[in-house]
């Protein structure tokens, strides 16, 4: 089927996932967890969390969305050719949100194991997409039902829409961070406040899990509807 049709449907579900993650994200919990010299800044931002969500959190999540969509490109390249996945590995990693969030302290064998797991996950996605990319129909759901049985289609949704898996597998390996400029968020006298760097890894995991609980059942319901049509 057309590559754009696959991209469009994936983007639709990914957008839903990002929206649900944003809805579940508790920026107050992140700020309350900050300490040290940034405590005074965090206290002021806590009183104005809505602008912070709009100007900092939402753009950060959107940037992750764009990285995931960019990563889909080499995965689809792999799915549509007979080339070995190794030919696309560097491009896949360059856009991997987890690889780019890997802590500097993660080195040696542990770093290599994480790299291998991240690549294996995307290789599996490409392998699962291969029948869909090769399908004759240009209608997405017709191509799905022609390419997979019902159980396989549901398993693909479960496996590849669980975006939090790498973080759940090795929570301490990654650091998701925000850099907050109070002047940009609040304006006025806040421009005199220093920037604040905060880690939101725990909140990222919690909010992604909440999003998965919404998006995966909805996507599976779409699968069921397609096979019943």
């Amino acid at each position: 089927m057309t590559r754009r049709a696959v991209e469009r449907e994936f983007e639709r579900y990914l957008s839903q996932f990002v929206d649900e993650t944003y809805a579940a994200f508790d920026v107050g919990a992140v700020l309350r967890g900050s300490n040290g010299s940034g405590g005074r800044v965090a206290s002021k931002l806590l009183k104005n969390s809505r602008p912070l969500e709009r100007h900092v959190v939402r753009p950060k999540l959107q940037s992750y969305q764009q990285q995931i969509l960019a990563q889909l490109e080499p995965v689809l390249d792999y799915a549509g050719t007979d080339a070995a996945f190794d030919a696309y590995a560097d491009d896949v990693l360059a856009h991997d949100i987890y690889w780019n969030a890997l802590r500097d302290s993660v080195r040696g064998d542990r770093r290599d194991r994480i790299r291998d797991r991240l690549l294996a996950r995307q290789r599996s996605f490409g392998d699962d997409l291969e029948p869909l990319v090769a399908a004759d129909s240009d209608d997405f759901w017709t191509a799905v039902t022609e390419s997979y049985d019902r159980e396989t289609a549901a398993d693909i949704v479960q496996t590849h829409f669980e975006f939090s898996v790498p973080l759940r597998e090795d929570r301490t390996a990654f650091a998701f961070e925000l850099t907050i400029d109070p002047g940009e968020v609040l304006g006025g006298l806040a421009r005199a406040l220093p920037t604040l760097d905060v880690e939101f890894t725990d909140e990222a995991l919690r909010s992604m899990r909440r999003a998965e609980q919404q998006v995966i059942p909805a996507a599976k319901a779409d699968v069921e509807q397609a096979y019943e049509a």
Side-chain angles (χ1 to χ4, degrees), residues 65-197:
Q65 179 177 350
Q66 292 307 309
Q67 285 184 60
I68 294 170
L69 290 174
Q71 187 181 52
L72 180 64
E73 295 301 312
V75 171
L76 285 173
D77 287 342
Y78 163 67
T81 70
D82 294 327
F85 185 79
D86 287 348
Y88 305 97
D90 288 345
D91 200 10
V92 167
L93 281 180
H95 297 103
D96 195 286
I97 62 171
Y98 288 104
W99 186 249
N100 288 317
L102 194 66
R103 295 182 189 272
D104 292 339
S105 58
V106 177
R107 301 174 182 173
D109 290 343
R110 186 185 182 193
R111 180 183 175 90
D112 292 340
R113 287 194 300 271
I114 290 171
R115 180 183 185 277
D116 290 345
R117 285 202 301 268
L118 293 175
L119 287 175
R121 181 172 172 80
Q122 296 306 318
R123 183 189 303 113
S124 173
F125 192 21
D127 290 340
D128 286 341
L129 287 175
E130 183 179 354
L132 186 61
V133 172
D136 291 332
S137 176
D138 285 338
D139 177 77
F140 180 80
W141 288 109
T142 299
V144 168
T145 57
E146 291 177 350
S147 302
Y148 315 105
D149 59 41
R150 185 190 304 238
E151 182 178 356
T152 299
D155 286 345
I156 289 172
V157 167
Q158 183 68 47
T159 299
H160 298 296
F161 285 7
E162 283 193 289
F163 295 102
S164 67
V165 166
L167 187 53
R168 285 155 47 200
E169 288 179 337
D170 199 338
R171 159 65 187 81
T172 62
F174 308 100
F176 290 92
E177 299 173 322
L178 291 170
T179 297
I180 305 170
D181 183 340
E184 290 184 0
V185 175
L186 303 176
L189 296 176
R191 292 186 175 88
L193 296 173
T195 58
L196 178 65
D197 294 321

